[in-house]
Amino acid sequence: MLIHPDRSLLLVIDVQDKLLPAVEAPQQLLDNCRWLLEIAVHLKVPVLGTEQYPQGIGHTHPRLGELIPVSAMLEKTHFSCMSEPGCDAGISTIAREQVVVIGIEAHVCVLQSAIELRQQGRDVFVVADCIASRNPQDKTAAIERMRQLGIQIVSREMVAFEWMRKAGTDSFRHISRTYLR
């Protein structure tokens, strides 16, 4: 199935100040997440963000946080955002059956959230170039496990092109000029 902009939301998991420097290639991860987040905002795809225990780990990195409405930022202590009542309710309120997931860490919060989203019957798409872990082997193992469980592993360009659907539109021209050159 294709990712549809009117049926999906973008979930940004725990890209926080104190976690980000510990993962592999943090600047590339941040740049990739920002790229997809900007496209989601441009195409009016709803965005939610989560923060794992922000009192201790800090808030979402400002480059991403400035694009996520304060009302769409959900605090959690469970690793899976779907185990946190406020996060589960926030995602359910948007009522989208497709969830595109980005963030950290791939083998903990991203993995557990994706599994529980899938268990709830949602179509889950984890963006491989927008997730990271401290240890690259953990990311690889998480991707393998998610695939085995029916979670779709995609790239950020796959998501962008599926959201756009066709060339020749104003959105396509803007995104092509701004993000694809």
Side-chain angles (χ1 to χ4, degrees), residues 46-60:
V47 176
L48 288 175
T50 68
E51 293 179 335
Q52 177 72 28
Y53 186 64
Q55 303 87 327
I57 301 176
H59 291 285
T60 299

Side-chain angles (χ1 to χ4, degrees), residues 22-25 103-108 131-136 138-139 142:
V23 301
E24 181 185 30
I104 54 182
E105 281 193 76
H107 67 294
V108 184
I131 61 171
S133 293
R134 288 167 286 144
N135 182 333
D138 287 329
K139 176 182 171 180

Side-chain angles (χ1 to χ4, degrees), residues 142-153:
I143 288 172
E144 182 179 325
R145 184 168 177 205
M146 287 186 275
R147 275 194 181 115
Q148 291 169 353
L149 295 172
I151 295 162
Q152 301 292 311
I153 305 301

Side-chain angles (χ1 to χ4, degrees), residues 13 20 48 53 63 65 69 84 104 119 125 127 148 151:
I13 297 179
L20 186 61
L48 288 175
Y53 186 64
R63 284 193 61 216
E84 196 75 45
I104 54 182
Q119 288 173 334
F125 303 86
V127 185
Q148 291 169 353
I151 295 162

Side-chain angles (χ1 to χ4, degrees), residues 28-104:
Q28 181 179 9
L29 174 72
L30 186 61
D31 292 344
N32 289 352
C33 289
R34 172 77 187 215
W35 186 93
L36 190 58
L37 186 53
E38 286 180 5
I39 290 172
V41 169
H42 177 77
L43 295 173
K44 297 179 177 36
V45 173
V47 176
L48 288 175
T50 68
E51 293 179 335
Q52 177 72 28
Y53 186 64
Q55 303 87 327
I57 301 176
H59 291 285
T60 299
H61 191 281
R63 284 193 61 216
L64 303 184
E66 68 188 17
L67 296 172
I68 303 170
V70 173
S71 62
M73 192 60 69
L74 309 167
E75 190 174 317
K76 66 186 185 67
T77 56
H78 287 89
F79 298 125
S80 168
C81 63
M82 300 313 291
S83 293
E84 196 75 45
C87 291
D88 187 16
I91 290 171
S92 295
T93 299
I94 295 177
R96 300 285 176 110
E97 66 266 19
Q98 297 181 333
V99 182
V100 177
V101 181
I102 64 176
I104 54 182

Side-chain angles (χ1 to χ4, degrees), residues 1-4 7-13 80-82 91 96-103 106 109-128 131 142-143 145-155 158-159 162-163:
M1 91 211 49
L2 294 174
I3 305 166
H4 198 282
R7 295 182 14 220
S8 64
L9 68 89
L10 178 63
L11 179 60
V12 182
I13 297 179
S80 168
C81 63
M82 300 313 291
I91 290 171
R96 300 285 176 110
E97 66 266 19
Q98 297 181 333
V99 182
V100 177
V101 181
I102 64 176
C109 297
V110 170
L111 172 70
Q112 291 183 32
S113 297
I115 289 172
E116 289 196 337
L117 284 161
R118 185 77 183 112
Q119 288 173 334
Q120 288 186 354
R122 289 185 171 88
D123 299 320
V124 183
F125 303 86
V126 174
V127 185
I131 61 171
I143 288 172
R145 184 168 177 205
M146 287 186 275
R147 275 194 181 115
Q148 291 169 353
L149 295 172
I151 295 162
Q152 301 292 311
I153 305 301
V154 296
S155 71
M158 291 166 70
V159 175
E162 288 178 37
W163 278 342

